[in-house]
Structure formats: C-alpha cells, structure tokens
Amino acid sequence: MAISYNKLWKLLIDKKMTKTELRLAADISTTTLAKLGKDETVSMDVMLRICKVLNCKLEDVVEIVGEEV
C-alpha cells in the first residue's frame, strides 16, 4: 500500500492556493513539502496543520492506494 496526496493538490487548485502559500500558512518545511510531492509519509501533526489551514478533513487531502488487504 502507498499514500497519495493527489487530493491535496487538487484542493489547492480549487482554493487557488500555491504550495508555497500552504507551506507558509501551515508552517511546514520545504523538506516536508518535498516529501508530500513525492507521496512519502509525513507526521500526523503536519497533516493536521494542513487540514486546519485548508479547513478540511484528513480524507480530503490523503488517500491510501495500492494493494487491498
């Protein structure tokens, strides 16, 4: 199984927000933003800050993809 943040990028487009604006508003590092861009795992704290900034739920920005268990 893998993680996909495609929903996050689509939500940013819908809200007309850039990745840099998200990074600054959620107070996340450029390294963490790069991890998101590569669909790598990040801490739940980071995800909660992103959700707070975007006023959304976790399932609105991340999904688990791949093999079914």
Coordinates of all heavy atoms in Angstrom, one line a residue:
M1 N 0.8 -1.2 0.0 CA 0.0 0.0 0.0 C 0.9 1.2 0.0 O 2.0 1.2 0.5 CB -0.9 0.0 1.2 CG -2.0 -1.1 1.2 SD -3.3 -0.9 2.4 CE -2.4 -0.9 3.9
A2 N 0.3 2.3 -0.5 CA 1.1 3.5 -0.6 C 0.1 4.7 -0.3 O -1.1 4.5 -0.3 CB 1.6 3.7 -2.0
I3 N 0.7 5.8 -0.1 CA -0.1 7.1 0.2 C 0.0 8.0 -1.0 O 1.0 8.1 -1.7 CB 0.6 7.8 1.4 CG1 0.4 6.9 2.7 CG2 -0.1 9.2 1.6 CD1 1.0 7.5 3.9
S4 N -1.2 8.6 -1.3 CA -1.3 9.6 -2.4 C -1.8 10.9 -1.8 O -2.8 10.9 -1.0 CB -2.2 9.0 -3.5 OG -2.4 10.1 -4.4
Y5 N -1.2 12.0 -2.2 CA -1.6 13.3 -1.8 C -2.3 14.0 -3.0 O -2.4 15.3 -3.0 CB -0.5 14.1 -1.2 CG 0.2 13.5 0.0 CD1 1.4 12.9 -0.1 CD2 -0.5 13.5 1.2 CE1 2.0 12.3 1.1 CE2 0.0 13.0 2.3 CZ 1.3 12.4 2.3 OH 1.8 11.8 3.4
N6 N -2.7 13.3 -4.0 CA -3.3 13.9 -5.2 C -4.5 14.8 -4.8 O -4.8 15.8 -5.4 CB -3.7 12.9 -6.2 CG -2.5 12.3 -6.9 OD1 -1.4 12.9 -7.0 ND2 -2.7 11.1 -7.5
K7 N -5.3 14.3 -3.8 CA -6.4 15.1 -3.3 C -6.0 16.4 -2.8 O -6.7 17.4 -3.0 CB -7.2 14.3 -2.3 CG -8.0 13.1 -2.8 CD -8.8 12.5 -1.6 CE -9.7 11.5 -2.1 NZ -10.5 10.9 -0.9
L8 N -4.9 16.5 -2.1 CA -4.3 17.7 -1.6 C -4.0 18.7 -2.7 O -4.4 19.9 -2.6 CB -3.1 17.5 -0.7 CG -2.3 18.7 -0.3 CD1 -3.1 19.6 0.6 CD2 -1.0 18.3 0.4
W9 N -3.4 18.2 -3.7 CA -3.0 19.1 -4.8 C -4.2 19.6 -5.6 O -4.3 20.8 -6.0 CB -2.0 18.5 -5.8 CG -0.9 17.8 -5.1 CD1 -0.4 16.5 -5.3 CD2 0.0 18.4 -4.1 NE1 0.6 16.3 -4.4 CE2 0.9 17.4 -3.7 CE3 0.0 19.6 -3.5 CZ2 1.9 17.6 -2.7 CZ3 1.0 19.8 -2.5 CH2 1.9 18.8 -2.1
K10 N -5.2 18.8 -5.7 CA -6.5 19.2 -6.4 C -7.2 20.3 -5.5 O -7.8 21.2 -6.0 CB -7.4 18.0 -6.6 CG -6.9 17.1 -7.7 CD -7.7 15.9 -7.9 CE -7.1 14.9 -8.9 NZ -7.8 13.6 -8.9
L11 N -7.2 20.1 -4.2 CA -7.8 21.0 -3.3 C -7.1 22.4 -3.3 O -7.8 23.4 -3.3 CB -7.8 20.4 -1.8 CG -8.6 21.2 -0.8 CD1 -10.1 21.4 -1.2 CD2 -8.5 20.5 0.6
L12 N -5.8 22.4 -3.4 CA -5.1 23.6 -3.5 C -5.5 24.4 -4.8 O -5.6 25.6 -4.8 CB -3.6 23.4 -3.5 CG -2.9 23.0 -2.2 CD1 -1.4 22.8 -2.4 CD2 -3.2 24.0 -1.1
I13 N -5.6 23.6 -5.9 CA -6.1 24.3 -7.1 C -7.4 24.9 -7.0 O -7.7 26.0 -7.4 CB -6.0 23.2 -8.3 CG1 -4.6 22.9 -8.6 CG2 -6.8 23.8 -9.5 CD1 -4.4 21.7 -9.6
D14 N -8.3 24.1 -6.4 CA -9.7 24.6 -6.1 C -9.7 25.9 -5.3 O -10.6 26.7 -5.5 CB -10.6 23.5 -5.5 CG -10.9 22.3 -6.4 OD1 -10.6 22.5 -7.6 OD2 -11.3 21.3 -5.9
K15 N -8.8 25.9 -4.3 CA -8.8 27.1 -3.4 C -7.8 28.2 -3.9 O -7.6 29.2 -3.3 CB -8.3 26.6 -2.0 CG -9.4 25.8 -1.3 CD -9.0 25.4 0.1 CE -10.0 24.7 0.8 NZ -11.1 25.5 1.4
K16 N -7.3 28.0 -5.1 CA -6.4 28.9 -5.8 C -5.2 29.3 -4.8 O -4.9 30.5 -4.6 CB -7.1 30.2 -6.2 CG -8.2 29.9 -7.3 CD -8.9 31.2 -7.7 CE -9.8 31.0 -8.9 NZ -10.6 29.9 -9.0
M17 N -4.6 28.3 -4.2 CA -3.5 28.4 -3.3 C -2.3 27.7 -3.8 O -2.4 26.6 -4.3 CB -4.0 27.8 -1.9 CG -3.0 28.0 -0.8 SD -3.6 27.3 0.7 CE -3.2 28.5 1.9
T18 N -1.2 28.3 -3.7 CA 0.1 27.7 -4.2 C 0.7 26.8 -3.1 O 0.3 26.9 -1.9 CB 1.1 28.7 -4.6 OG1 1.5 29.4 -3.4 CG2 0.6 29.7 -5.6
K19 N 1.6 25.9 -3.5 CA 2.3 25.1 -2.5 C 3.0 25.9 -1.5 O 3.1 25.6 -0.3 CB 3.2 24.1 -3.2 CG 2.4 23.0 -4.0 CD 3.4 22.1 -4.6 CE 2.7 21.0 -5.5 NZ 3.6 20.1 -6.1
T20 N 3.6 27.0 -2.0 CA 4.4 27.9 -1.1 C 3.5 28.6 -0.1 O 3.8 28.7 1.1 CB 5.2 29.0 -1.9 OG1 6.0 28.3 -2.8 CG2 6.0 29.9 -1.0
E21 N 2.3 29.0 -0.5 CA 1.4 29.6 0.4 C 0.9 28.6 1.5 O 0.8 29.0 2.6 CB 0.1 30.2 -0.4 CG 0.4 31.4 -1.2 CD -0.7 31.7 -2.1 OE1 -1.5 30.9 -2.5 OE2 -0.7 32.9 -2.5
L22 N 0.7 27.4 1.1 CA 0.3 26.3 2.0 C 1.5 26.1 3.0 O 1.3 26.0 4.2 CB 0.0 25.0 1.3 CG -0.2 23.8 2.2 CD1 -1.5 24.0 3.0 CD2 -0.3 22.5 1.4
R23 N 2.7 26.0 2.5 CA 3.9 25.8 3.3 C 4.0 26.9 4.4 O 4.2 26.6 5.6 CB 5.1 25.7 2.5 CG 6.4 25.4 3.3 CD 7.6 25.4 2.4 NE 8.0 26.7 1.8 CZ 8.6 27.7 2.5 NH1 8.9 27.5 3.8 NH2 8.9 28.8 1.9
L24 N 3.8 28.1 4.0 CA 4.0 29.2 5.0 C 2.8 29.2 6.0 O 3.0 29.4 7.2 CB 4.1 30.5 4.2 CG 5.3 30.7 3.4 CD1 5.2 32.0 2.5 CD2 6.6 30.7 4.2
A25 N 1.6 29.0 5.5 CA 0.4 29.1 6.3 C 0.4 27.9 7.3 O 0.0 28.1 8.5 CB -0.9 29.0 5.5
A26 N 0.8 26.7 6.9 CA 0.8 25.6 7.8 C 2.1 25.4 8.6 O 2.3 24.5 9.4 CB 0.6 24.3 7.0
D27 N 3.1 26.3 8.3 CA 4.4 26.3 9.0 C 5.1 24.9 8.8 O 5.4 24.3 9.8 CB 4.2 26.7 10.5 CG 5.6 26.9 11.1 OD1 6.5 27.4 10.4 OD2 5.7 26.7 12.3
I28 N 5.2 24.5 7.6 CA 5.9 23.2 7.3 C 7.2 23.6 6.5 O 7.2 24.6 5.8 CB 5.0 22.2 6.5 CG1 4.5 22.8 5.2 CG2 3.9 21.7 7.4 CD1 3.7 21.8 4.4
S29 N 8.1 22.7 6.6 CA 9.4 23.0 5.9 C 9.4 22.6 4.5 O 8.5 21.9 4.0 CB 10.5 22.1 6.6 OG 10.3 20.8 6.3
T30 N 10.4 23.1 3.7 CA 10.5 22.8 2.3 C 10.7 21.3 2.1 O 10.3 20.7 1.2 CB 11.6 23.6 1.6 OG1 12.8 23.4 2.3 CG2 11.2 25.1 1.6
T31 N 11.4 20.7 3.1 CA 11.7 19.3 3.0 C 10.4 18.5 3.1 O 10.2 17.5 2.4 CB 12.7 18.9 4.1 OG1 13.9 19.6 4.0 CG2 13.0 17.4 4.1
T32 N 9.6 18.9 4.1 CA 8.3 18.2 4.2 C 7.4 18.4 3.0 O 6.7 17.4 2.6 CB 7.6 18.7 5.5 OG1 8.4 18.5 6.6 CG2 6.2 18.1 5.7
L33 N 7.4 19.6 2.4 CA 6.7 19.8 1.2 C 7.2 18.9 0.1 O 6.4 18.4 -0.7 CB 6.7 21.3 0.8 CG 5.8 21.7 -0.3 CD1 4.4 21.5 0.0 CD2 6.1 23.2 -0.7
A34 N 8.5 18.7 0.0 CA 9.1 17.8 -1.0 C 8.6 16.4 -0.8 O 8.3 15.7 -1.7 CB 10.6 17.9 -1.0
K35 N 8.5 16.0 0.5 CA 8.1 14.6 0.8 C 6.6 14.5 0.3 O 6.3 13.4 -0.2 CB 8.1 14.3 2.3 CG 9.5 14.0 2.8 CD 9.5 13.7 4.3 CE 10.8 13.2 4.8 NZ 10.8 12.8 6.2
L36 N 5.8 15.5 0.6 CA 4.4 15.4 0.1 C 4.4 15.3 -1.4 O 3.6 14.5 -2.0 CB 3.6 16.7 0.5 CG 3.4 16.8 2.0 CD1 2.9 18.2 2.4 CD2 2.3 15.8 2.5
G37 N 5.2 16.0 -2.1 CA 5.3 16.0 -3.6 C 5.7 14.6 -4.1 O 5.3 14.2 -5.2
K38 N 6.4 13.8 -3.3 CA 6.9 12.5 -3.7 C 6.0 11.4 -3.1 O 6.4 10.2 -3.2 CB 8.3 12.3 -3.2 CG 9.3 13.2 -3.8 CD 10.7 13.0 -3.2 CE 11.7 14.0 -3.7 NZ 13.0 13.9 -3.0
D39 N 4.9 11.8 -2.5 CA 4.0 10.8 -1.9 C 4.6 10.0 -0.8 O 4.4 8.8 -0.7 CB 3.3 9.9 -2.9 CG 2.3 10.6 -3.8 OD1 1.7 11.6 -3.3 OD2 2.0 10.2 -4.9
E40 N 5.5 10.6 -0.1 CA 6.1 10.0 1.1 C 5.4 10.3 2.4 O 4.6 11.3 2.4 CB 7.6 10.4 1.2 CG 8.5 10.1 0.0 CD 9.9 10.6 0.1 OE1 10.2 11.2 1.2 OE2 10.7 10.4 -0.8
T41 N 5.6 9.5 3.4 CA 4.8 9.7 4.6 C 5.4 11.0 5.4 O 6.6 11.2 5.3 CB 4.9 8.5 5.6 OG1 6.3 8.2 5.8 CG2 4.2 7.3 4.9
V42 N 4.5 11.7 6.0 CA 4.8 12.8 6.9 C 4.1 12.6 8.2 O 3.2 11.8 8.3 CB 4.5 14.2 6.2 CG1 5.3 14.4 5.0 CG2 3.0 14.3 5.9
S43 N 4.4 13.4 9.2 CA 3.8 13.2 10.5 C 2.4 13.6 10.5 O 1.9 14.4 9.7 CB 4.6 14.0 11.6 OG 4.3 15.4 11.4
M44 N 1.6 13.0 11.4 CA 0.2 13.4 11.6 C 0.1 14.8 12.0 O -0.9 15.5 11.6 CB -0.4 12.4 12.6 CG -1.9 12.6 12.7 SD -2.8 12.3 11.2 CE -2.6 10.5 11.1
D45 N 1.0 15.4 12.7 CA 1.0 16.8 13.1 C 1.0 17.7 11.9 O 0.2 18.6 11.8 CB 2.2 17.1 14.0 CG 2.2 18.5 14.4 OD1 1.2 19.0 15.1 OD2 3.2 19.2 14.1
V46 N 1.8 17.3 10.9 CA 1.8 18.1 9.7 C 0.5 18.0 8.9 O 0.0 19.0 8.5 CB 3.0 17.6 8.7 CG1 2.8 18.2 7.3 CG2 4.3 17.9 9.3
M47 N -0.1 16.8 8.9 CA -1.3 16.6 8.2 C -2.4 17.4 8.9 O -3.3 18.0 8.2 CB -1.7 15.2 8.1 CG -0.8 14.3 7.3 SD -0.4 15.0 5.6 CE -2.0 15.1 4.9
L48 N -2.4 17.5 10.2 CA -3.4 18.2 10.9 C -3.3 19.7 10.7 O -4.3 20.4 10.6 CB -3.4 17.9 12.4 CG -3.8 16.5 12.8 CD1 -3.5 16.2 14.3 CD2 -5.2 16.2 12.5
R49 N -2.1 20.2 10.6 CA -1.9 21.6 10.4 C -2.4 22.0 9.0 O -3.0 23.0 8.8 CB -0.4 22.0 10.5 CG 0.0 22.1 12.0 CD 1.4 22.7 12.1 NE 2.3 21.5 12.1 CZ 3.6 21.6 11.7 NH1 4.1 22.7 11.3 NH2 4.3 20.5 11.8
I50 N -2.1 21.1 8.0 CA -2.6 21.3 6.6 C -4.1 21.3 6.6 O -4.7 22.2 6.0 CB -2.0 20.2 5.7 CG1 -0.5 20.5 5.5 CG2 -2.8 20.2 4.4 CD1 0.2 19.3 4.7
C51 N -4.7 20.4 7.3 CA -6.2 20.3 7.3 C -6.8 21.6 8.0 O -7.8 22.1 7.6 CB -6.7 19.1 8.1 SG -6.4 17.6 7.1
K52 N -6.1 22.1 9.0 CA -6.6 23.3 9.7 C -6.5 24.5 8.8 O -7.5 25.3 8.7 CB -5.7 23.5 11.0 CG -6.2 24.7 11.8 CD -5.5 24.8 13.1 CE -6.0 26.0 13.9 NZ -5.2 26.1 15.2
V53 N -5.4 24.6 8.1 CA -5.3 25.8 7.1 C -6.3 25.7 6.0 O -6.9 26.7 5.6 CB -3.8 25.8 6.5 CG1 -3.8 26.7 5.3 CG2 -2.8 26.2 7.6
L54 N -6.5 24.5 5.5 CA -7.5 24.3 4.4 C -8.9 24.1 4.8 O -9.8 24.0 4.0 CB -7.0 23.1 3.5 CG -5.7 23.3 2.8 CD1 -5.3 22.0 2.1 CD2 -5.6 24.5 1.9
N55 N -9.1 24.0 6.1 CA -10.5 23.8 6.7 C -11.1 22.6 6.1 O -12.2 22.7 5.5 CB -11.3 25.1 6.5 CG -12.6 25.0 7.3 OD1 -12.6 24.4 8.4 ND2 -13.7 25.7 6.8
C56 N -10.4 21.5 6.2 CA -10.9 20.2 5.6 C -10.6 19.0 6.5 O -10.0 19.2 7.6 CB -10.3 20.0 4.2 SG -8.5 19.7 4.3
K57 N -11.1 17.9 6.1 CA -10.8 16.6 6.9 C -9.6 15.9 6.3 O -9.3 16.2 5.1 CB -12.1 15.7 6.8 CG -13.3 16.3 7.4 CD -14.4 15.3 7.2 CE -15.7 15.9 7.7 NZ -16.9 15.1 7.4
L58 N -9.0 15.0 7.1 CA -7.9 14.3 6.6 C -8.2 13.5 5.3 O -7.3 13.6 4.4 CB -7.4 13.3 7.7 CG -6.1 12.6 7.4 CD1 -4.9 13.5 7.2 CD2 -5.8 11.6 8.6
E59 N -9.3 12.9 5.2 CA -9.6 12.2 4.0 C -9.8 13.1 2.8 O -9.9 12.6 1.6 CB -10.9 11.3 4.2 CG -12.1 12.0 4.6 CD -12.4 12.1 6.1 OE1 -11.4 12.0 6.9 OE2 -13.5 12.3 6.4
D60 N -9.9 14.4 3.0 CA -10.0 15.3 1.8 C -8.6 15.6 1.2 O -8.5 16.1 0.1 CB -10.6 16.6 2.3 CG -12.0 16.5 2.7 OD1 -12.7 15.6 2.3 OD2 -12.4 17.3 3.6
V61 N -7.5 15.2 1.9 CA -6.2 15.5 1.4 C -5.3 14.3 1.2 O -4.2 14.4 0.5 CB -5.5 16.6 2.3 CG1 -6.2 17.9 2.2 CG2 -5.3 16.1 3.7
V62 N -5.6 13.2 1.7 CA -4.7 12.0 1.6 C -5.6 10.7 1.4 O -6.7 10.7 1.9 CB -3.9 11.8 2.9 CG1 -4.7 11.6 4.1 CG2 -2.8 10.8 2.7
E63 N -5.0 9.8 0.7 CA -5.7 8.5 0.5 C -4.7 7.4 0.4 O -3.5 7.6 0.0 CB -6.6 8.5 -0.8 CG -5.9 8.6 -2.1 CD -6.9 8.7 -3.2 OE1 -8.0 8.0 -3.2 OE2 -6.6 9.3 -4.3
I64 N -5.1 6.2 0.8 CA -4.3 5.1 0.7 C -4.6 4.4 -0.6 O -5.8 4.1 -0.9 CB -4.5 4.1 1.9 CG1 -4.1 4.9 3.2 CG2 -3.7 2.8 1.8 CD1 -4.5 4.1 4.5
V65 N -3.6 4.1 -1.4 CA -3.8 3.5 -2.7 C -2.9 2.2 -2.8 O -2.0 2.0 -2.0 CB -3.4 4.4 -3.8 CG1 -4.3 5.6 -3.9 CG2 -1.9 4.9 -3.7
G66 N -3.3 1.4 -3.7 CA -2.5 0.2 -3.9 C -3.2 -1.1 -3.6 O -4.4 -1.2 -3.6
E67 N -2.4 -2.1 -3.2 CA -3.0 -3.4 -2.9 C -4.0 -3.4 -1.8 O -3.8 -2.8 -0.8 CB -1.8 -4.4 -2.5 CG -0.8 -4.6 -3.5 CD -1.3 -5.3 -4.7 OE1 -2.1 -6.3 -4.6 OE2 -0.9 -5.0 -5.9
E68 N -5.1 -4.2 -2.0 CA -6.1 -4.3 -1.0 C -5.6 -5.4 0.0 O -5.0 -6.4 -0.4 CB -7.4 -4.7 -1.6 CG -8.1 -3.6 -2.4 CD -8.6 -2.5 -1.6 OE1 -9.0 -2.7 -0.5 OE2 -8.4 -1.3 -2.1
V69 N -5.9 -5.2 1.2 CA -5.5 -6.2 2.2 C -6.6 -7.3 2.3 O -7.7 -7.1 2.2 CB -5.4 -5.5 3.6 CG1 -5.0 -6.6 4.7 CG2 -4.3 -4.4 3.5

